[in-house]
Amino acid sequence: MSNSLPTAINVAKFGGTSVANFAAMKNCAQIIADNPNTRVVVVSASAGVTNHLVKLANTPLTQQQIHQVVEDIRNIQLSILNDLGAPNDVAEKLNALILSMAELASHEELLHSDELKDSLLSFGERMSSLLFAEVLKQTVVKGENFDIRKVLKTDSTFGQAVPDLQSIKSHAETLMKPELVDSVLVTQGFVGADQQGKTTTLGRGGSDFTAALLAEALDAQSCEIWTDVVGVYTTDPRITDAARPLPELSFEEAAEMANFGAKVLHPATMEPALRKNIKVFVGSSREPEKGGTWIVRDCADEPPYRAITRRKQQVMVTVKTPKMMHAQGFLQQVFTIIAKHSLSVDLVTTSEIAVSFTLDNPANSVAEKLNRDTLDELREFCEVVVESDYDLVTVVGNNMHSAAGVSAKIFSSVDKYNLRMICYGANPHNMSFLVHQDDSSNIVKQLHRNLFEQV
């Protein structure tokens, strides 16, 4: 390790599968050792741990069932600890974390408190960062575990906390930057703390967002997102084998893809990168030699079709009232309520007496609860119809509004299916369809075949 701070700092984030076990962690340690510019490492919880924690936080369980889930988590982490040779100081800290986690899992108010849920969910990243720092120490890299809650300050919206950018910047400058001269700091993704020091979380998948926020705060030149796939693909390779990795994307394209369901990146990740023009790399920690996708401000090539995304678990809400006919202020009332509950609407269509829009509705999520509250409030002054079992399919590309023949090729690809809603984006980068969940896989395959596989 050099005894000076590199001029081009790199922040590297490793996802759950990349830190799933000791062998996977060793792969990641080699990636870090190969790039002396990497001084901050952000880790997710080891694969499987977050799902166990979500179960504890949201499902009524007997004490015996709680004990079993805690044991499952303990076994995942102890397996890594044992492969490390179980050094006493790490074992002591890990056992303390597991004990605290077990106590919180049995808290009688857990199922009814978002604050307690966030505290519980933070343990996955806190354990994996402790173990990964030790993996680095046992290689050629001086790794130090760092509690991100000292730096990543947020508001108190437990479950979907909003970062305080100014506070993050000042804390990163004073608490992290001096340490980067002779150490690689290993810290937690997804986790933050409010101004009272209470643990918060950034929402599922928030580790990418953490890495981008730290890259921005530390004036980094690049941010690497290491996952289990070789870059960002033309579509989800689990839907079609013909999907292929993309060598490059623009910030705008990547933001659209993330927002409309691409699982490789958290939707908010592009915002800090765009603000500071930080290059983002997405690659596979299992196969780093295969390269990946670079996300940059300006691409050499801007094709009309870049990728196809799918976002599942959507609901369509239609609000209507005869009073809407020529009435002023109805739309303002509707969207004021939506904004009050911090919900994001993607597709909107209107008629003389009705407005329809889509909402994310993943089970056991903050959004699901907010949706219920929002709909109850809307019902106080208008009729509300909710249709579920939909997926949102989006074609992402460039100049889609103005290039001749682009729309025709998309529509001809899906002419055999019922499209519940169709929407051009407000920018030239997307066209979206709301379709029944049973049709979405076939629609993605057909679009991919016509847009990417035909020469």
Side-chain angles (χ1 to χ4, degrees), residues 114-135:
D114 290 337
E115 181 182 331
L116 291 177
K117 288 178 198 285
D118 270 10
S119 290
L120 181 66
L121 291 172
S122 74
F123 279 94
E125 280 73 12
R126 288 161 68 186
M127 291 185 290
S128 65
S129 61
L130 172 70
L131 293 165
F132 190 70
E134 181 61 25
V135 172

Side-chain angles (χ1 to χ4, degrees), residues 14-77:
F14 294 94
T17 54
S18 299
V19 292
N21 51 47
F22 179 67
M25 285 187 174
K26 277 188 72 178
N27 284 346
C28 300
Q30 189 57 53
I31 290 171
I32 294 163
D34 288 343
N35 185 355
N37 288 339
T38 301
R39 292 300 171 97
V40 177
V41 174
V42 175
V43 294
S44 298
S46 297
V49 170
T50 299
N51 287 338
H52 286 314
L53 290 170
V54 167
K55 184 177 181 180
L56 289 171
N58 294 294
T59 312
L61 300 171
T62 65
Q63 281 301 313
Q64 186 178 352
Q65 289 171 322
I66 291 171
H67 176 74
Q68 185 55 57
V69 177
V70 169
E71 280 303 300
D72 291 341
I73 295 171
R74 186 198 304 269
N75 290 336
I76 291 171
Q77 309 292 209

Side-chain angles (χ1 to χ4, degrees), residues 114-349:
D114 290 337
E115 181 182 331
L116 291 177
K117 288 178 198 285
D118 270 10
S119 290
L120 181 66
L121 291 172
S122 74
F123 279 94
E125 280 73 12
R126 288 161 68 186
M127 291 185 290
S128 65
S129 61
L130 172 70
L131 293 165
F132 190 70
E134 181 61 25
V135 172
L136 285 187
K137 286 176 186 174
Q138 292 189 14
T139 62
V140 294
V141 178
K142 185 185 176 188
E144 295 293 339
N145 192 19
F146 182 86
D147 188 343
I148 197 61
R149 293 173 296 180
K150 298 176 186 174
V151 167
L152 210 141
K153 299 301 179 182
T154 71
D155 69 1
S156 301
T157 309
F158 298 103
Q160 200 80 49
V162 178
D164 180 341
L165 301 182
Q166 198 169 354
S167 186
I168 293 168
K169 175 75 172 172
S170 63
H171 284 86
E173 289 278 355
T174 56
L175 298 176
M176 295 184 84
K177 218 164 202 177
E179 300 297 318
L180 303 183
V181 173
D182 58 7
S183 297
V184 170
L185 295 185
V186 180
T187 195
Q188 307 81 37
F190 169 68
V191 178
D194 67 10
Q195 296 301 336
Q196 290 74 47
K198 295 176 181 175
T199 300
T200 58
T201 66
L202 303 179
R204 195 74 187 260
S207 294
D208 293 353
F209 192 22
T210 302
L213 287 167
L214 291 179
E216 178 181 32
L218 294 166
D219 298 314
Q221 272 62 51
S222 57
C223 178
E224 296 173 352
I225 308 293
W226 293 97
T227 178
D228 54 1
V229 290
V230 185
V232 181
Y233 279 67
T234 47
T235 196
D236 188 338
R238 290 169 296 187
I239 299 176
T240 171
D241 292 339
R244 61 178 187 266
L246 296 160
E248 68 171 3
L249 283 171
S250 69
F251 286 136
E252 288 83 0
E253 290 170 327
E256 293 293 329
M257 290 180 67
N259 189 51
F260 285 107
K263 298 294 186 189
V264 179
L265 289 170
H266 185 281
T269 305
M270 287 303 104
E271 294 170 13
L274 186 55
R275 284 193 294 263
K276 286 289 184 75
N277 194 20
I278 300 164
K279 293 189 296 181
V280 177
F281 175 80
V282 180
S284 167
S285 61
R286 295 174 185 169
E287 304 173 293
E289 71 283 353
K290 289 192 175 179
T293 303
W294 278 103
I295 303 168
V296 295
R297 176 167 285 173
D298 298 306
C299 292
D301 181 35
E302 295 186 345
Y305 316 112
R306 183 76 85 179
I308 302 160
T309 65
R310 175 176 69 176
R311 196 163 71 202
K312 303 179 84 171
Q313 295 177 299
Q314 304 292 295
V315 293
M316 187 177 86
V317 180
T318 301
V319 293
K320 55 184 175 180
T321 170
K323 295 176 186 174
M324 182 181 165
M325 183 95 61
H326 307 303
Q328 296 178 344
F330 178 73
L331 279 177
Q332 181 183 359
Q333 271 185 288
V334 170
F335 284 98
T336 297
I337 290 170
I338 291 168
K340 185 175 87 173
H341 292 282
S342 302
L343 293 177
S344 175
V345 170
D346 291 308
L347 309 192
V348 181
T349 60

